[in-house]
């Protein structure tokens, strides 16, 4: 991590290292349920050590620390190649919006159980015909005497089949109002009328789900923020994806790059070595930008359009690391036996890396942003 730390922050880093030094490698999982249970246990362990949500206020289960300490935790978990944090959608993306829009009772009820992974949260934005262009979403929320009635469908919702709570964007105005006619709702995923069907990806894991809403009755208090201002809630979450989540993801990739260096240590093929160098240089560029993000957040400022460059780099680094790893492993990757857990993990992460240019806004959308907001090109 390219940040100069104070003595206090160095002491905090030592505390995190004491935690990570006790970690054992993640075992191979027989099923998504097994993987889920393992990751929940890991997160509870992380939370017991006071490291799951260090930047949250203490009254809601955090440590009241700042973005630098958050980055230290991510960095050390990445170096230790620790299991991934299962409730990252909740902790990194949804919690920042709750901290703005939820009331103190809601925060006290939700956040500690989110940090401990006792309750998983899911984000329900994307629909079959509304992904890159969220303003065209069609899931509807209609007023009723008691609150709201939801009808529609969402898709690609990470870990939704295990979620206790979800944050939904739904249309409360007309289709023509685009982003102005959208509202945000938070509710219990066990509410009658909600059907969650998990979707298996090519990695074999069913890590996300599609969700159907059939006359789902929500109480008045499910509305988060003002009516018709769901776009503002979504913007807080998208900003968080550019901040905390980008910091976490880059640290995971730094750990994977170390693994790639070990895998390729004895390789003498100049072309492969060139590719390893490419991944390393892209990671260095990413690290510099992430240091800039941490400093921006430390100053209480928002990460600007540069975040599109970070997202592009994250995708480039991820796909380069895992495709080079597969080149190094060679044909053995095609026939990895379950007992060859190391190879199997590289193959799984290679397959997953295809998603890195899609989630959180596709590479094409990021390039549009770079063109329009950084280079000033016409729309
Ligand atoms: C691993 C993973 C986890 C996810 N988790 C969640 C989640 O928890 N919650 C959630 O709500 N969603 C989630 N998503 C969905 C994700 O946000 C969408 O997949 C993404 O926004 C793209 O939308 P889409 O799939 O509908 O593709 P589309 O928007 O249909 O895009 C299809 C293709 O067209 C291109 N395209 C579209 N518009 C433009 C344009 N204006 N200019 C140039 N090219 C364009 C895109 O780049 C893409 O190549 C997840 C996705 C993945 C892969």
């Amino acid at each position: 991590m390219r940040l100069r730390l104070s003595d206090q922050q160095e002491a905090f880093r030592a505390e995190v290292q004491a935690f990570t030094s006790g970690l054992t490698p993640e075992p191979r999982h027989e099923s998504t349920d097994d993987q889920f249970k393992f990751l929940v246990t890991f997160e509870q362990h992380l939370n017991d050590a006071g490291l799951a949500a260090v930047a949250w206020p203490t009254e809601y289960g955090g440590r009241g620390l700042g973005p630098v300490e958050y980055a230290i935790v991510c960095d050390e978990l990445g170096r230790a190649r620790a299991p991934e944090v299962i409730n990252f959608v909740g902790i990194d993306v949804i919690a920042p919006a709750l901290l703005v829009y939820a009331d103190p009772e809601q925060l006290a009820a939700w956040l500690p159980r989110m940090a401990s992974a006792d309750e998983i949260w899911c984000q329900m934005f994307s629909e079959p015909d509304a992904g890159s262009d969220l303003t065209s979403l069609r899931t509807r929320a209609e007023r009723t005497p008691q609150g709201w009635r939801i009808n529609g469908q969402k898709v690609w919702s990470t870990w939704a089949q295990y979620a206790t709570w979800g944050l939904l964007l739904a249309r409360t105005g007309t289709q023509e109002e685009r982003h102005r006619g959208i509202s945000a709702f938070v509710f219990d995923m066990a509410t009658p009328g909600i059907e969650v069907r998990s979707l298996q990806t090519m990695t074999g894991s069913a890590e996300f789900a599609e969700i159907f809403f059939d006359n789902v009755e929500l109480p008045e208090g499910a509305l988060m923020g003002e009516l018709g201002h769901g776009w503002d809630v979504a913007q807080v979450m998208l900003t968080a994806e550019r901040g905390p989540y980008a910091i976490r993801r880059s640290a995971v990739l730094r750990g994977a790059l170390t693994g790639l260096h070990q895998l390729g240590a004895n390789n003498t093929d100049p072309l492969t070595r060139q590719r390893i160098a490419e991944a390393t240089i892209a990671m260095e560029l990413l690290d510099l930008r992430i240091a800039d993000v941490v400093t921006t957040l430390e100053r209480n400022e928002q990460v600007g359009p540069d975040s599109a460059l970070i997202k592009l780099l994250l995708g480039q680094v991820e796909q380069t690391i895992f495709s080079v790893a597969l080149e190094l492993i060679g044909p053995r990757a095609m026939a990895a036996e379950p007992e060859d857990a190391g190879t199997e993990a590289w193959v799984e992460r290679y397959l997953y890396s295809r998603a890195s240019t899609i989630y959180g806004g596709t590479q094409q959308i990021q390039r549009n942003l770079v063109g329009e907001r950084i280079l000033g090109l016409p729309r």
Side-chain angles (χ1 to χ4, degrees):
M1 199 177 58
R2 294 177 172 275
L3 287 171
R4 189 165 301 144
L5 303 182
S6 67
D7 290 348
Q8 227 171 354
Q9 287 162 341
E10 286 292 359
F12 180 71
R13 182 190 276 284
E15 178 192 330
V16 185
Q17 282 169 343
F19 172 82
T20 55
S21 65
L23 295 177
T24 49
E26 186 169 346
R28 181 178 178 276
H29 304 293
E30 291 300 326
S31 64
T32 306
D33 282 347
D34 269 1
Q35 181 190 15
F36 174 75
K37 282 186 206 134
F38 173 86
L39 293 176
V40 166
T41 307
F42 169 71
E43 207 151 309
Q44 286 167 343
H45 185 41
L46 186 70
N47 190 50
D48 291 344
L51 300 174
V54 292
W56 291 357
T58 47
E59 61 268 38
Y60 304 131
R63 299 258 302 252
L65 299 171
V68 173
E69 286 80 3
Y70 171 83
I72 291 172
V73 174
C74 295
D75 190 49
E76 291 301 331
L77 291 177
R79 277 172 198 275
R81 283 189 258 164
E84 292 191 31
V85 166
I86 186 142
N87 222 0
F88 71 90
V89 174
I91 294 172
D92 290 345
V93 182
I94 298 180
L98 297 179
L99 284 163
V100 175
Y101 292 101
D103 62 40
E105 290 77 46
Q106 289 172 320
L107 291 171
W110 290 334
L111 293 192
R113 294 181 66 74
M114 182 194 278
S116 63
D118 281 314
E119 290 178 347
I120 301 296
W121 283 68
C122 68
Q123 171 192 356
M124 295 171 281
F125 284 10
S126 305
E127 297 184 2
D129 292 318
S132 300
D133 179 16
L134 269 181
T135 62
S136 59
L137 66 84
R138 289 180 180 277
T139 294
R140 280 210 67 81
E142 290 169 317
R143 263 247 179 253
T144 64
Q146 289 75 34
W148 309 93
R149 181 175 300 127
I150 312 287
N151 279 290
Q153 186 197 339
K154 294 286 168 178
V155 71
W156 314 131
S157 187
T158 300
W159 296 122
Q161 72 272 39
Y162 298 111
T164 308
W165 295 96
L167 191 148
L168 171 88
L169 288 187
R171 189 158 294 287
T172 42
T174 63
Q175 206 64 34
E176 292 68 41
E177 282 178 289
R178 310 282 297 172
H179 70 276
R180 278 186 296 278
I182 292 173
S183 300
F185 298 88
V186 170
F187 48 86
D188 186 337
M189 292 295 288
T191 309
I194 300 178
E195 190 191 342
V196 183
R197 293 185 203 153
S198 53
L199 294 167
Q200 191 174 28
T201 71
M202 63 181 168
T203 65
S205 166
E207 62 155 75
F208 44 35
E210 54 187 343
I211 305 157
F212 299 85
F213 300 90
D214 182 10
N215 289 318
V216 176
E217 303 288 343
L218 299 183
E220 185 70 39
L223 181 70
M224 203 42 47
E226 283 178 47
L227 181 63
H229 287 262
W231 200 246
D232 299 342
V233 180
Q235 290 313 307
V236 178
M237 290 165 67
L238 296 175
T239 303
E241 278 194 31
R242 298 177 199 138
Y245 181 67
I247 296 170
R248 191 189 292 285
R249 196 68 204 149
S250 71
V252 168
L253 296 179
R254 171 58 77 183
L257 182 69
T258 307
L260 180 69
H261 288 164
Q262 289 160 355
L263 199 62
N266 298 322
N267 187 283
T268 51
D269 174 48
L271 290 180
T272 309
R273 294 185 70 78
Q274 176 68 23
R275 298 262 288 142
I276 297 173
E278 266 169 40
T280 309
I281 292 165
M283 187 73 228
E284 291 293 314
L285 291 174
L286 183 58
D287 268 354
L288 287 169
R289 292 210 171 261
I290 291 293
D292 201 38
V293 168
V294 177
T295 319
T296 304
L297 296 177
E298 189 76 357
R299 286 198 301 260
N300 254 327
E301 289 169 11
Q302 295 234 334
V303 183
D306 274 12
S307 62
L309 290 169
I310 295 176
K311 184 69 189 19
L312 285 167
L313 271 173
L314 279 168
Q316 184 193 342
V317 171
E318 182 160 350
Q319 292 189 350
T320 311
I321 290 175
F322 294 108
S323 59
V324 178
L326 249 65
E327 283 167 27
L328 286 165
I329 292 168
R332 191 160 51 93
M334 297 285 286
E337 297 292 334
E339 53 274 15
D340 186 3
T343 299
E344 207 186 37
W346 279 112
V347 173
E348 189 187 319
R349 296 187 72 188
Y350 164 77
L351 293 174
Y352 185 82
S353 74
R354 309 317 302 166
S356 68
T357 45
I358 303 173
Y359 60 70
T362 68
Q363 294 298 81
Q364 289 76 19
I365 294 299
Q366 306 306 328
R367 290 199 183 101
N368 282 349
L369 292 172
V370 171
E372 291 165 19
R373 302 212 185 143
I374 299 179
L375 302 177
L377 299 175
R379 280 175 70 81

